[in-house]
Amino acid sequence: MNRSNADPAGEFPGTVTQTRASATEVVVTESLTKKYGDHTAVDAVSMTVRRGEIYGFLGPNGAGKTTTLRMLVGLIAPTSGTATVLGLNPGERESLRRIGVLIEGPGFYPYLSGRDNLRVLARYHLTERTAGSRPRDRFAEVDEILARVGLADRAGDRFRTYSLGMKQRLGVGAALLGNPDLLILDEPTNGLDPAGMAEMRELVTGLAADGHTVVLSSHLLSEVQEICDRVGVISGGKLLTESTVSQLRGAATLLVRAEPMEKAYPAVRRVVGEHRALPTAAGIRVDAGRAMAPEVARAVIASGADLLELRTDEKSLEEVFFEMTKQEHR
Amino acid sequence: MNDVVACTRAEFARLRKWPAFWIVLGTWIALNLVFAYLFNYLAYTSGSSSRMSNGQPREVLLQLMLPAAVPEVFTQGMAMFGGALMLVLGALVVGSGYGWGSWKTVFTQGPSRRAVVGGTVVSLMSVVVGLVGAAFVVDTGVAAMIGAAEHRTPTLPTAAHTLLGLATGVVILGMWTLAGALIAAIARGPALAVGLGLVWVLVVENLLRGVASIFSPVRALTDHLPGTAAGSAAGAMRTVGGTATPGVLDILSRPASFVVLAVYIAVFACGTVALMVRRDMA
C-alpha cells in the first residue's frame, strides 16, 4: 500500500475530508530545544503529528531525530520549549502507557529469550490492565506479538543469539505491548535485509490501518516516501519543513520529447499557456499534471512534429531532501 | 505503590534467570562456608596443639563451629568478602542496564521511573534478606553436621541471638549492595562501579583508618565510614576474644553501627532513585 498521497487531516485540495472530524493532534511540540553545553542538538523544533497518520521524521545521521524522539518519551528533558504527547506531558505515566517505543536500537536482557524479555516487559507494562489476571492470560499477548513480528520460531532463543534484524523485530514487538495508541519507532528497519524491510513496512502500514498513529524516524528516504502520510525534515537540529509527501515533492510535471522542437514547443505553449512550458536539454518541461497529457500529445502531433516521449516527471523525496539540506548548509 | 510491587516482580522475573546473579550469590555462600567452617574444621581435626593458629583453644574453635554460634560466625565474613561481593551484585544489577539499553526500554513501558528504580532497590534488599536467611540455614545445617560428627548435643542459637545475627547481616549486606547500585548509577555502567567499589571496600577505607591512627582529626570521619560501621556491626556479634576476621572491628557500638548503616542504606537508596529519575537517559 502506498500511502504517500494520503492526507488524513484532509487539509489539502482533492483529499478525503472524511477524516477531518477524527483528526486530532497526537504529538505537538513548540520550540522544543535540547542543548548539550554549547552544542544545540535540537533547535526550536515545532512539529505536529495527527491521529491515525504515519509521520516520517526524516533527516541525516546526527540531525537530531533521536534526540527529539527521546524528549517525546521523557527519556531526556528538553532545555526549553514544550511538548505534549496524547495531550499529556512526555514521560508522564498515562502518556507512556499509551505509547509503544523503539528508540535507538532495541535494549533487552541478553541472557533472556525473546519471549522472556517481552514477558518481563509485560510485567512492567500491564500492571493495571491485567491486575489479578493469571500469568497465562497476561502473557497470551506476548505470543501474539512474537508471531506478528515473525519471531515465533525463535522466541525461545536467547536474545544475545539473535541477528541484528531479529533484535530489531523484537524491539518493534516490545513497542506493541499493551496495544498502544501511538508508536514511536526510531529507524525500525536498521539492520534488516531487503525482505525484512519490506515486511517491516507492511507491519507499520498494517498498524496504521488498525488505527495506530506511527511516528517513524528514518534516514532512508525511499522508505519514508513509500509509507508515510506526512513528513518532517530535520537537519542540523532544525525542522526544515513539515508537510505531506506529495506536497513536499511538489506538483508533477510533464516531460515532452519531440522532433523537431521548433514545431513542437510553440504547439505545447499554445495548449498549456506561455509560461508553463520550458524547453530544457531533456525536452519540454510542462508545468501541468497527468490530465493535460492527451491534449499536449494531440497538439504536438497536430504541429507535424514526431512525439518521441511523453511522461509525468515527479521529483523524488530524495531530490527534495538534498535540495533542502543543501540550502540549509549554505 | 502497585507500580512498585509490579516493578519489583518484574525485576525478580529477570534476576532469577540471570546466571551472573546466581554466580555471585553462590560464591558468597561458598566463601562463607570455606572461611567459617572448612578451614576451621580442617585445622580442628588435623591440629595437634591445644591452641589453634588464632590463639583460641581447640574447644573454643569447635564451639564456634556448632549451631549455637551460627549468628556470630556467619556475620564475620560479611564485613570483608561478603560486602565486596554484594557491592559487585548491586553494581551489576543497576549498571548492566545502561550497557544493554534495558533501562531505556523499561523506562518507556509505563510505570514512573521512581517506581521502576524503587522496584529494583526493593528487589535488591529482598535478595539480601533472602541471602542472609539462606546463608543462616546452610550454616546451621553444616554446623549441625559438624556437631553430629563430633558427638555434641545439638543446641540451636536463641531466638534473640538469631534475630540479631540476621538483622546484622541484612544491614551490612544491604548497605554494600545499595552502595554498588549507587556507584553504578553514577558511573552509568557496571565496570567502573565494580572497580571503584572494590578499591574503596578493600583498600581505601583501610588506608583512611591507618591515617586516622596517626592523624586523629580525621578519626571522626573514618569512624563513620561504611566499612567501619559494617565491621563494627559484625564485631559486635563476637563473643570470644583473640584475632578478629579481617574487616571486623570494634570501633562503634552495636546501636551506633546500626544507626550509621541505616543512614547509609537510606542515602544510597534515595540517591540511586533520585539520580536515575532526574538524569537524562542518553
Side-chain angles (χ1 to χ4, degrees), chain A residues 15-30:
Chain A
T15 56
V16 180
T17 53
Q18 187 185 353
T19 54
R20 183 188 290 274
S22 63
T24 53
E25 292 165 341
V26 174
V27 177
V28 180
T29 72
E30 290 288 339

Side-chain angles (χ1 to χ4, degrees), chain A residues 7-277:
Chain A
D7 175 29
E11 267 189 6
F12 301 99
T15 56
V16 180
T17 53
Q18 187 185 353
T19 54
R20 183 188 290 274
S22 63
T24 53
E25 292 165 341
V26 174
V27 177
V28 180
T29 72
E30 290 288 339
S31 303
L32 198 63
T33 301
K34 182 67 181 180
K35 291 183 177 182
Y36 295 102
D38 293 337
H39 171 63
T40 304
V42 174
D43 192 358
V45 165
S46 299
M47 61 187 275
T48 307
V49 179
R50 298 165 187 147
R51 189 175 302 283
E53 72 179 1
I54 302 180
Y55 183 96
F57 203 34
L58 192 61
N61 292 332
K65 303 186 296 290
T66 300
T67 306
T68 304
L69 298 185
R70 279 175 182 275
M71 286 191 276
L72 294 184
V73 297
L75 284 175
I76 60 176
T79 306
S80 62
T82 60
T84 55
V85 179
L86 297 162
L88 300 158
N89 291 325
E92 212 170 275
R93 187 171 177 274
E94 289 313 312
S95 153
L96 287 176
R97 282 184 188 284
R98 294 168 57 197
I99 307 176
V101 180
L102 167 64
I103 287 193
E104 210 171 35
F108 291 101
Y109 304 110
Y111 56 88
L112 291 181
S113 67
R115 179 182 289 114
D116 283 342
N117 263 297
L118 292 196
R119 285 182 172 187
V120 168
L121 293 182
R123 286 176 186 271
Y124 283 107
H125 201 277
L126 307 175
T127 49
E128 281 175 2
R129 193 159 66 84
T130 60
S133 65
R134 291 176 304 174
R136 196 192 314 160
D137 301 332
R138 195 185 308 168
F139 297 140
E141 183 193 21
V142 167
D143 290 329
E144 286 168 19
I145 287 172
L146 286 165
R148 189 164 192 182
V149 297
L151 280 177
D153 293 343
R154 298 285 305 275
D157 294 351
R158 288 185 179 187
F159 178 73
R160 71 159 68 98
T161 67
Y162 284 5
S163 68
L164 187 56
M166 291 166 70
K167 289 176 177 175
Q168 203 70 9
R169 287 163 191 261
L170 190 66
V172 174
L176 296 177
L177 280 169
N179 194 26
D181 297 330
L182 169 66
L183 283 158
I184 295 180
L185 305 176
D186 184 21
E187 310 269 8
T189 54
N190 259 5
L192 297 181
D193 56 24
M197 288 170 81
E199 285 174 25
M200 186 64 76
R201 282 196 292 269
E202 200 176 317
L203 176 65
V204 170
T205 50
L207 290 167
D210 289 348
H212 299 274
T213 305
V214 182
V215 176
L216 177 144
S217 90
S218 182
H219 62 271
L220 298 176
L221 302 156
S222 56
E223 177 178 286
V224 170
Q225 178 171 323
E226 201 167 326
I227 66 174
C228 293
D229 302 311
R230 291 196 313 130
V231 294
V233 179
I234 188 169
S235 180
K238 291 180 179 168
L239 190 69
L240 304 182
T241 189
E242 191 179 53
S243 72
T244 61
V245 172
S246 53
Q247 205 185 35
L248 198 62
R249 291 168 70 185
T253 57
L254 292 175
L255 186 73
V256 183
R257 280 182 56 226
E259 291 287 349
M261 282 284 273
E262 294 76 26
K263 286 185 178 177
Y265 180 55
V268 172
R269 284 179 63 183
R270 273 196 297 277
V271 173
V272 299
E274 280 201 17
H275 302 293
R276 295 178 68 188

